[in-house]
Amino acid sequence: MEDKRNIPIIEWEHLDKRKFYLFGICMTMMIRILRTEGTAGLYRGFLVNTFTLISGQCYVTTYELTRKYVSHYTNNNAIKSLVAGGSASLVAQSITVPIDVVSQHLMMQRKGESMGRFKVRHQDGKGLLVFGQTKDIIGQIFKADGFRGFYRGYVASLLTYIPNSAVWWPFYHFYAEQLSSLTPKDCPHLLLQAISGPLAAATASTLTNPMDVIRARVQVEGKSSIILTFRQLLAEEGPWGLTKGLSARIISATPSTIVIVVGYETLKKLSLRPELVDSRHW
């Protein structure tokens, strides 16, 4: 049975792929840097942040292709969104975790600080060039921990971000549909989607916050066992420790979620095949 929706979802087959990737690369770069470092980030850490384009494009491609694949078996949008969101996060995190590990060390060195076992190196009294710093950090990580050093906290990240992504997409479409049914037909879809994004993010954050707290401890404190970290957290702070940072997480995620949703939905609408442009309401 066909899934009739008030807000039609633009699927993979509806897109002009050349436009999608051309606009997508620019949009992913802007969103990623602005989310992590603000406006100044546009001019700082460009080399490392450039590699996040790969994870961003792999995420959206995996999401859209997985939706298309799952649609052969079901037209249930919630199932398609859940499976596609989880799969996309798995692919993206496999690329993002090593980049984030290097980026974190690079940012600490720029502040003139050491991070863990890695010390700041200077050349002729001045900081190394960005590429030199990045190359030096990669070498230090590999020398200290081998290839595994680039995937510290990888399992914890997967256990956090896969459920978050898998839950976010179904709730995003659910909230958009509910808002659409409560508002006039001529209400801009982009506005409803911009509201639905933060609502979905708040829901997903609430459900996955316990794992995010554990992930943060694993990565920051260098712990190796998720189970032991969980037990230690419960012993020290009790069940309420698993809700730590939830309100701040929701508040901080709201602006970036709005930017991402508006950006992605605009990207898909701009990338529509010419014959479908007039069939989509903004």
Side-chain angles (χ1 to χ4, degrees):
M1 181 179 296
E2 187 179 356
D3 184 14
K4 298 292 186 181
R5 307 184 65 79
N6 294 324
I7 303 181
I9 298 174
I10 299 175
E11 303 286 7
W12 181 251
E13 59 269 21
H14 302 150
L15 301 173
D16 180 326
K17 308 307 186 296
R18 289 176 297 180
K19 292 181 180 179
F20 182 73
Y21 284 111
L22 177 62
F23 296 146
I25 287 174
C26 298
M27 196 168 293
T28 300
M29 187 66 173
M30 292 290 291
I31 291 174
R32 168 73 182 193
I33 295 178
L34 290 173
R35 284 181 64 196
T36 56
E37 299 186 61
T39 305
L42 295 173
Y43 307 98
R44 183 172 64 244
F46 182 81
L47 181 65
V48 173
N49 278 294
T50 298
F51 288 102
T52 63
L53 291 174
I54 301 174
S55 64
Q57 293 306 302
C58 286
Y59 180 93
V60 297
T61 300
T62 302
Y63 177 78
E64 297 295 345
L65 287 177
T66 303
R67 279 186 62 91
K68 181 178 180 180
Y69 176 78
V70 176
S71 66
H72 294 313
Y73 301 94
T74 179
N75 282 320
N76 187 296
N77 184 63
I79 294 177
K80 290 192 290 185
S81 299
L82 188 147
V83 175
S87 301
S89 183
L90 171 62
V91 172
Q93 285 303 306
S94 298
I95 300 171
T96 300
V97 169
I99 296 173
D100 284 344
V101 169
V102 175
S103 295
Q104 289 165 8
H105 285 82
L106 184 59
M107 285 187 289
M108 293 298 290
Q109 289 203 3
R110 286 193 186 129
K111 296 177 182 178
E113 303 172 7
S114 61
M115 186 171 182
R117 293 161 292 173
F118 308 137
K119 306 298 181 181
V120 180
R121 287 206 308 136
H122 295 281
Q123 185 174 3
D124 297 330
K126 297 180 180 180
L128 293 169
L129 296 174
V130 173
F131 180 77
Q133 286 180 313
T134 304
K135 182 179 179 181
D136 183 46
I137 290 170
I138 292 174
Q140 290 183 62
I141 294 174
F142 187 79
K143 182 178 180 180
D145 298 314
F147 187 72
R148 292 177 58 187
F150 297 100
Y151 280 91
R152 183 176 295 278
Y154 176 64
V155 174
S157 292
L158 293 183
L159 293 177
T160 300
Y161 291 114
I162 288 180
N164 186 281
S165 180
V167 169
W168 187 89
W169 286 100
F171 274 106
Y172 166 61
H173 292 303
F174 170 77
Y175 287 131
E177 281 297 297
Q178 295 305 307
L179 289 174
S180 177
S181 65
L182 297 173
T183 55
K185 291 184 178 180
D186 59 349
C187 183
H189 287 175
L190 197 59
L191 174 61
L192 301 181
Q193 291 163 332
I195 297 173
S196 300
L199 290 176
T203 304
S205 294
T206 301
L207 294 175
T208 62
N209 195 71
M211 195 61 232
D212 192 50
V213 173
I214 296 173
R215 176 193 62 81
R217 280 205 170 196
V218 169
Q219 291 186 321
V220 174
E221 300 178 13
K223 298 180 181 296
S224 57
S225 174
I226 294 175
I227 295 178
L228 291 179
T229 302
F230 173 70
R231 291 176 177 174
Q232 181 181 1
L233 179 64
L234 287 180
E236 294 176 355
E237 304 183 41
W240 286 108
L242 297 174
T243 66
K244 181 181 293 185
L246 176 59
S247 58
R249 184 182 176 194
I250 293 174
I251 293 172
S252 64
T254 297
S256 60
T257 302
I258 293 174
V259 172
I260 291 171
V261 168
V262 171
Y264 189 60
E265 293 296 348
T266 300
L267 166 64
K268 294 214 293 184
K269 288 180 174 69
L270 291 175
S271 303
L272 273 170
R273 300 205 317 265
E275 65 272 20
L276 298 175
V277 171
D278 295 332
S279 66
R280 293 297 187 272
H281 171 50
W282 282 59

